[in-house]
Amino acid sequence: MNATLGVGLVERARALAPLISGEAEAIERTRRLTAPVVSALIENGLYRALLPQSLGGAEAAPEAFMQMLEEIAKADASTAWCLGQCTVCAMIAASLDRDTAREIFNAGPGILAWGAIAHEARAVEGGYRVTARWDFASGSRQASWLGAHVRIVGADGTPRKNADGSPEVRTILFPVASATLHDVWQAIGLAGTGTDAYEVSDLFIPERFTAFRDVPSALRETGPLYRIGTGSTFSLGFAAVSLGVARATLDAAIALARGKHQSLAAHTMRDNQAVQGLIGRTEGDLRAARAYLYATANAMWRDLSASGEFSTAHRSAVRLAATWTIHQSARVVDTAYHMAGTTAVFRSNPFERRFRDMHAIAQQIQARDTHYEDVGKAILAENR
């Protein structure tokens, strides 16, 4: 399928759903996205959803990015998670010089993955040297480049500081061949993401392959998308993944209820008033969560496009909506799982894997309960 970048991301994602659904069992079993799935995502330009248009990317608005992930997640959560991770990582291109960005993203497969912030890099002539190991690199098994977020120290080991006194943190980028990957992702859910560890030893990183992440003054692209930053975009994307998982799980429960006979009863589940009411309430909960997430994202995008500013209020609103949506999606999945009864425990049915995937999502940083505290603190500090 040939694709024009920047057009029809959601439609292309929806068209790939049958392929991804068919590969989901192999993805789960091998703990890797399969070659046909990765090839299809690349061929259809989905990894380039948030890459600048100046590099041939889609530079998509948040709504299109979120809908794309939602459609993929309905088919397989691990695929959607890896796609979300790597498309957001690609936003670092907006802070690189054009030639460097082309070298990373415009030579196949052009996929970047990274893990959590950790460790230090020592400043040397022309760049930095680093020996370290990082964890939680979702999508690293498909990546051609890896990144890491490191604190910078001078040649004498003294930590470098920003103008405000905070530690200087840079994102360093290097070919995946420069690192050793460790197969450590043995998790209850999102098994196919290959969220493994990686390490480098005395690796030299040229200055041009480093960037300040989510620092507006360091941006080389003027589009409003890059003002949002990777942190909030991760939140929106992974909340959309949770909605896709919840939608697919509830749809499976509805399909089951239409035909399944309850134990010791002559009638099907669809005729049971308790089941009818539960489905109605759960459908309302899911629709409300989706509406809230998208309304928040779209209001933020309108303000940002008009003003050019991603404000503290925007960041707080996105954090609240994303966290609540993930938690609400988990409740929907739990309800659908329990509604399915013993059917749900068998791997041959569509409940057990989605139940595990959803609860792996709910354990991620984007779903931390402390986000509610942060938002509540900001609300209480307002002068109205």
Side-chain angles (χ1 to χ4, degrees):
M1 186 192 303
N2 293 322
T4 302
L5 291 175
V7 176
L9 283 172
V10 182
E11 290 75 15
R12 278 177 265 149
R14 192 176 294 124
L16 291 179
L19 167 67
I20 296 169
S21 293
E23 295 287 314
E25 183 179 343
I27 290 171
E28 175 82 5
R29 184 180 67 255
T30 62
R31 298 182 298 113
R32 303 282 187 273
L33 302 193
T34 61
V37 167
V38 175
S39 295
L41 295 175
I42 293 171
E43 183 182 350
N44 283 272
L46 300 193
Y47 279 112
R48 302 172 71 82
L50 302 182
L51 198 66
Q53 290 184 358
S54 62
L55 295 170
E59 199 169 328
E63 182 176 16
F65 165 65
M66 292 157 62
Q67 288 181 350
M68 176 189 78
L69 292 183
E70 202 177 347
E71 292 298 326
I72 299 296
K74 292 175 187 177
D76 179 60
S78 289
T79 302
W81 191 270
C82 287
L83 179 61
Q85 173 79 11
C86 294
T87 50
V88 175
C89 289
M91 292 173 69
I92 198 70
S95 298
L96 297 169
D97 72 72
R98 191 67 53 80
D99 289 340
T100 301
R102 286 196 186 102
E103 185 173 342
I104 295 171
F105 296 104
N106 284 0
I111 299 171
L112 170 67
W114 61 46
I117 181 171
H119 305 297
E120 296 175 342
R122 186 179 297 269
V124 297
E125 184 176 356
Y128 306 88
R129 283 201 175 274
V130 61
T131 297
R133 172 171 167 158
W134 300 273
D135 297 314
F136 299 109
S138 297
S140 57
R141 296 295 176 170
Q142 297 84 55
S144 46
W145 285 75
L146 294 172
H149 318 299
V150 293
R151 295 175 293 274
I152 302 299
V153 300
D156 62 354
T158 302
R160 293 206 315 210
K161 303 288 186 181
N162 296 316
D164 63 1
S166 61
E168 180 180 322
V169 175
R170 285 179 178 261
T171 297
I172 58 174
L173 307 170
F174 46 90
V176 70
S178 300
T180 300
L181 272 67
H182 299 281
D183 186 349
V184 299
W185 187 246
Q186 302 281 347
I188 67 165
L190 298 176
T193 60
T195 303
D196 288 322
Y198 58 110
E199 70 174 320
V200 298
S201 179
D202 195 32
L203 181 65
F204 174 69
I205 311 292
E207 180 78 33
R208 72 186 184 96
F209 289 102
T210 73
F212 290 106
R213 181 177 67 136
D214 297 347
V215 177
S217 61
L219 288 171
R220 297 168 183 254
E221 293 283 339
T222 59
L225 174 65
Y226 306 106
R227 295 278 170 179
I228 301 174
T230 60
S232 293
T233 311
F234 275 131
S235 294
L236 291 172
F238 292 146
V241 171
S242 76
L243 286 173
V245 176
R247 179 73 271 167
T249 312
L250 182 56
D251 284 350
I254 292 169
L256 180 69
R258 286 176 176 145
K260 183 178 179 180
H261 282 74
Q262 295 179 302
S263 299
L264 305 178
H267 55 74
T268 60
M269 289 176 64
R270 71 186 300 164
D271 298 318
N272 185 308
Q273 290 182 333
V275 172
Q276 295 166 355
L278 187 59
I279 287 175
R281 286 190 295 272
T282 308
E283 181 70 31
D285 290 341
L286 180 55
R287 293 188 191 186
R290 188 178 190 276
Y292 174 36
L293 180 69
Y294 278 87
T296 300
N298 289 336
M300 174 274 291
W301 184 245
R302 287 193 300 270
D303 290 349
L304 173 58
S305 298
S307 68
E309 179 187 5
F310 183 72
S311 66
T312 301
H314 290 143
R315 183 174 291 104
S316 181
V318 165
R319 174 168 289 182
L320 179 60
T323 304
W324 190 82
T325 296
I326 293 172
H327 291 168
Q328 193 68 20
S329 295
R331 293 187 187 98
V332 169
V333 169
D334 286 354
T335 299
Y337 179 85
H338 290 297
M339 191 189 310
T342 55
T343 300
V345 306
F346 293 98
R347 290 184 182 273
S348 59
N349 289 305
F351 298 97
E352 181 265 350
R353 175 166 50 85
R354 287 172 177 148
F355 180 86
R356 291 186 289 103
D357 287 341
M358 185 65 248
H359 283 279
I361 292 170
Q363 294 296 107
Q364 303 298 318
I365 189 172
Q366 288 79 22
R368 284 181 178 171
D369 280 340
T370 54
H371 294 330
Y372 295 124
E373 298 173 18
D374 295 338
V375 173
K377 181 179 179 180
I379 292 172
L380 292 170
E382 291 176 0
N383 292 318
R384 299 194 179 189

